[in-house]
């Protein structure tokens, strides 16, 4: 997973731990880029227990409120069909 950089909008960075985290439209963590040291920080969005998977929304925090069809369309740009629990539940409710 590449992260856009604040000071280089056309560039991406890969971080040692963040690149191994999976996507969820109901993520367990938020990702914030720091203004110094070109680093990112991860914050729990809810209480986590040892062994819980750390996931973040690949589309960013602002896309969390759009519907499942819009999220899936945006993720499909990367040939990625989201099958997270939130998308599966919302898709069932819409059909």
């Amino acid at each position: 997973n590449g992260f856009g950089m604040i000071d280089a909008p056309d560039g991406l960075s890969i971080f040692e731990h963040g690149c191994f985290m999976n996507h969820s439209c109901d993520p367990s963590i938020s990702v914030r880029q720091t203004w110094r040291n070109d680093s990112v920080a991860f914050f729990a969005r809810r209480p986590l227990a040892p062994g819980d998977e750390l996931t973040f929304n690949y589309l960013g925090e602002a896309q969390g409120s759009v519907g499942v069809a819009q999220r899936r369309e945006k993720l499909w740009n990367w040939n990625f069909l989201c099958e997270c629990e939130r998308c599966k539940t919302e898709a069932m409710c819409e059909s």
Side-chain angles (χ1 to χ4, degrees), residues 1-9 11-18 31-42:
N1 298 324
F3 294 86
M5 300 303 297
I6 291 170
D7 57 350
L12 291 175
S13 290
I14 297 177
F15 293 93
E16 181 179 2
H17 300 289
V31 179
R32 300 278 189 274
Q33 182 181 356
T34 64
W35 284 96
R36 58 190 143 148
N37 300 329
D38 292 329
S39 61
V40 292
F42 304 102

Side-chain angles (χ1 to χ4, degrees), residues 23 25 57-60 62-78 80-82 86-87 90-91 94:
H23 165 82
C25 293
N57 189 332
Y58 289 177
L59 298 174
Q63 295 298 318
S65 61
V66 300
V68 62
Q70 290 173 299
R71 293 191 310 269
R72 284 182 168 175
E73 182 179 345
K74 289 179 184 287
L75 289 165
W76 190 248
N77 289 327
W78 295 277
F80 178 76
L81 176 63
C82 186
R86 178 179 172 194
C87 281
E90 288 181 20
E94 289 182 2

